[in-house]
Amino acid sequence: MPGLEKIHLEDALEDNPQTRSMVSLFEQDAGLLRDYIIVLRSHCEKVLNAQKELATATSNLSQHLRAYENQPFPLDTDPDSVLKTTLREFASTLDEVSSIQQVCAAQLGDGMLYPLNRFIEADLSDIFTMMEMFASASNEMEQVVTKFCKCSKKRDSEKVKQDINEEVYMATKKYHQTALHYYANMNALQFKRKIALLEPIIGYLHALRSTFSVGQETLNTTELETFLNNIDSSVKGVQTELGLETQKTVELIDTIEQQSQHLYYAEPPVDMPYIPPNTRLSQKSGYLFHKTKFAGMVTKWEHVFVYTLGSKLMSIAKSECNQIRLVYYLILCITFKSPLTAVLPAVLMFVHFPKSSSKSIIELSFMDDKKGFKEDLRLLEKVSSNM
């Protein structure tokens, strides 16, 4: 590659300041390159992990769509409903998409992440290992040369001088060989830099290109396009129907609220217009408070739901969720002519009979006058107190 800086191998043994300065620059560059490549690998690992998670999530989504028909929905029991059939079709398509995504993840691992791991664990690791060896050989040669310089011609024998000279030879040779290989690897790193930075991105794009190509062949079909158009039209139709139903519901709610104003009061106010009773009802239901006395002293109020069933009045207490008690009833309709009490109350008197009771049932008829109503109430209270 033209324009690349190189360390001259011819100057390895001379070890001049220019060579040392060039080596220092190459070492600094290698350190920065290692830091950059490690961060690059972390980003590539995130891409690979995201692709794997996408494939897994798509597969899980497909399984969840299939699980819909196995759910015990009480309002969707038809196994061949349009919704269940559509979800099964979607699940099959998502299975194919998940397979494509899994292949893409494998290609990313081979073409993108593997070259980076190889460069970091082989090339960069060798460079920094040789950097330590070069520094060690340089220090060793420096020590031996210093030792040789301190050797005295008068005090030291020829044998000692020859031994030290041999040490200088071995240290210098070791340094020279280490420097040659170290400088050669430093120079080669400039070529490998381009490979290390470009090869993973090439692998990434090749994997995506292959994935999109297979996805195009798998998903861009006439059958799937027709299916999606039909489902899209169906969804839009349901949305339109929902809008109309919502509008009708809002209008119905407004009407019900207006008609229920008098029901919000425990006792309608005097200024509220008189509403005549509906005498055509065959059934009636609602919540009432039931008063019970224990030992003639303790009073208990219980909130119960009351409804008619034929000629009987049924009640369900909140504390007895699914237990239905049968009660015999009396409805007394009295119309008060006073302007302060212009209402038509329905007074419900409950008489509970245990299953083991053999007492007779008191039946009271409708009364049209206030005096008769009070007399019947006293009669009912008297009979109830004796039971």
Side-chain angles (χ1 to χ4, degrees):
M1 294 177 59
L4 287 180
E5 293 290 342
K6 291 184 179 181
I7 303 175
H8 299 293
L9 301 183
E10 298 83 358
D11 300 332
L13 183 59
E14 184 178 355
D15 194 24
N16 54 53
Q18 291 81 3
T19 302
R20 281 284 182 173
S21 178
M22 184 66 71
V23 171
S24 178
L25 290 176
F26 271 65
E27 290 176 346
Q28 181 182 0
D29 184 83
L32 293 174
L33 179 61
R34 178 182 60 179
D35 296 339
Y36 181 85
I37 290 292
I38 289 176
V39 175
L40 177 62
R41 180 175 64 175
S42 68
H43 290 308
C44 291
E45 287 176 343
K46 291 179 181 179
V47 171
L48 177 59
N49 292 334
Q51 185 64 37
K52 290 180 178 179
E53 291 181 4
L54 178 60
T56 302
T58 304
S59 177
N60 293 338
L61 176 59
S62 173
Q63 295 176 6
H64 192 66
L65 292 181
R66 281 196 173 89
Y68 177 84
E69 58 184 344
N70 298 326
Q71 302 301 313
F73 292 109
L75 301 181
D76 190 4
T77 57
D78 184 8
D80 298 324
S81 65
V82 176
L83 179 58
K84 292 181 179 179
T85 304
T86 303
L87 290 179
R88 283 195 294 266
E89 187 69 24
F90 278 155
S92 299
T93 304
L94 290 180
D95 284 339
E96 297 181 5
V97 174
S98 177
S99 299
I100 296 173
Q101 292 169 344
Q102 290 174 1
V103 173
C104 180
Q107 292 176 344
L108 289 176
D110 296 337
M112 180 181 66
L113 198 60
Y114 174 73
L116 283 173
N117 289 332
R118 181 187 59 199
F119 178 71
I120 293 174
E121 296 172 2
D123 298 322
L124 287 180
S125 179
D126 289 346
I127 286 291
F128 286 95
T129 300
M130 295 189 67
M131 184 184 298
E132 295 176 358
M133 295 173 59
F134 174 76
S136 176
S138 178
N139 292 333
E140 183 180 348
M141 185 184 70
E142 187 72 20
Q143 293 174 2
V144 173
V145 171
T146 302
K147 181 179 179 181
F148 178 80
C149 293
K150 292 181 179 181
C151 181
S152 175
K153 295 182 179 180
K154 296 181 179 180
R155 293 192 303 268
D156 297 328
S157 63
E158 288 296 327
K159 176 64 175 174
V160 173
K161 293 179 182 179
Q162 290 179 1
D163 292 341
I164 296 176
N165 191 37
E166 188 67 23
E167 291 179 9
V168 172
Y169 169 81
M170 296 299 298
T172 304
K173 181 180 179 180
K174 178 181 178 181
Y175 168 78
H176 190 211
Q177 292 176 344
T178 303
L180 287 174
H181 289 287
Y182 181 47
Y183 295 170
N185 277 276
M186 279 291 194
N187 291 334
L189 184 62
Q190 305 311 307
F191 294 88
K192 294 178 181 178
R193 176 205 303 268
K194 184 175 182 179
I195 299 174
L197 292 176
L198 299 183
E199 190 176 11
I201 309 304
I202 293 174
Y204 181 27
L205 296 179
H206 274 311
L208 291 182
R209 189 169 180 270
S210 175
T211 300
F212 294 154
S213 177
V214 176
Q216 177 78 3
E217 296 175 359
T218 304
L219 300 179
N220 191 21
T221 61
T222 305
E223 294 80 5
L224 183 58
E225 183 178 1
T226 303
F227 173 71
L228 292 178
N229 289 336
N230 292 337
I231 298 302
D232 186 57
S233 300
S234 177
V235 170
K236 289 181 180 178
V238 173
Q239 290 175 342
T240 303
E241 185 178 354
L242 175 61
L244 296 175
E245 184 66 23
T246 301
Q247 184 178 358
K248 292 180 181 179
T249 302
V250 171
E251 295 174 355
L252 179 60
I253 290 175
D254 292 339
T255 302
I256 293 175
E257 288 181 349
Q258 293 175 3
Q259 295 176 352
S260 304
Q261 292 295 324
H262 66 287
L263 300 177
Y264 298 155
Y265 295 97
E267 182 176 348
V270 295
D271 57 347
M272 178 168 285
Y274 171 74
I275 301 176
N278 187 355
T279 59
R280 298 180 180 179
L281 293 178
S282 59
Q283 293 181 345
K284 186 69 175 178
S285 63
Y287 279 99
L288 293 174
F289 276 96
H290 177 216
K291 180 180 179 181
T292 307
K293 282 189 176 182
F294 298 94
M297 298 178 61
V298 181
T299 301
K300 176 183 177 183
W301 288 91
E302 188 176 14
H303 204 188
V304 296
F305 181 77
V306 181
Y307 61 97
T308 59
L309 182 63
S311 61
K312 298 177 177 61
L313 188 67
M314 310 295 292
S315 70
I316 305 175
K318 282 190 174 181
S319 59
E320 304 171 358
C321 298
N322 295 322
Q323 298 177 4
I324 301 177
R325 298 176 299 163
L326 177 63
V327 297
Y328 296 91
Y329 68 95
L330 169 67
I331 300 179
L332 303 176
C333 298
I334 306 297
T335 303
F336 297 100
K337 298 180 181 180
S338 171
L340 297 178
T341 57
V343 295
L344 181 64
V347 183
L348 302 180
M349 300 297 297
F350 298 96
V351 183
H352 295 268
F353 296 97
K355 292 182 178 179
S356 60
S357 175
S358 60
K359 296 181 176 63
S360 59
I361 300 173
I362 306 299
E363 294 183 356
L364 299 179
S365 59
F366 292 98
M367 304 301 298
D368 293 331
D369 60 281
K370 189 174 181 180
K371 181 179 178 181
F373 171 65
K374 290 184 177 180
E375 291 177 355
D376 282 349
L377 285 181
R378 285 196 295 270
L379 175 61
L380 182 60
E381 291 176 356
K382 182 178 180 181
V383 173
S384 299
S385 62
N386 294 329
M387 296 177 67

